[in-house]
Amino acid sequence: GVFIDRQEIAMRKPQVLSELLRGRANITVQRNGAGESQIFGSRLSISSGYCPLALIMDGTLINTLGGRIDNMVPTDMVAAVEVYTSGTSVPSEFQRAETDCGAVIVWTR
């Protein structure tokens, strides 16, 4: 996975969480029609193109990342972020049907 700690967050000073993920290997950040950031893993799905990552916050599955990551938590409340871009790379304690494509795990402080 990709690990982003509080030190990197403080250094980069992102306005929104998706800024931390943009440009990372195997992660695609796109804007939807409403202007919200959507986060996808590298796996392609026959039916829907890129595979959306699930969002897990403080150990609880919130939703798939259909454009809500920047609205979920202010960046100054984020302690760390873990990103797993395939279902098999998600740690076993977080694996669910929704994490088949991978997951963004956000830890708050």
Side-chain angles (χ1 to χ4, degrees), residues 4-22 24 31 37 69-70 73-81 106 109:
I4 305 167
D5 62 14
R6 186 69 201 143
Q7 182 178 0
E8 181 177 348
I9 296 167
M11 181 183 71
R12 292 185 59 189
K13 298 177 184 164
Q15 295 295 311
V16 291
L17 200 53
S18 64
E19 287 179 19
L20 286 173
L21 305 177
R22 190 176 303 280
R24 303 229 182 221
R31 296 243 180 241
S37 293
I69 191 168
D70 292 338
V73 63
T75 56
D76 62 345
M77 295 299 297
V78 176
V81 179
V106 177
R109 46 190 186 126

Side-chain angles (χ1 to χ4, degrees), residues 56-106:
I56 298 172
M57 190 172 303
D58 295 326
T60 302
L61 177 69
I62 301 298
N63 204 335
T64 57
L65 291 175
R68 296 180 180 92
I69 191 168
D70 292 338
N71 301 326
M72 295 308 282
V73 63
T75 56
D76 62 345
M77 295 299 297
V78 176
V81 179
E82 302 173 41
V83 184
Y84 301 94
T85 58
S86 71
T88 56
S89 68
V90 175
S92 60
E93 65 266 28
F94 300 119
Q95 287 186 355
R96 295 165 180 70
E98 296 87 351
T99 63
D100 184 45
C101 291
V104 175
I105 301 174
V106 177

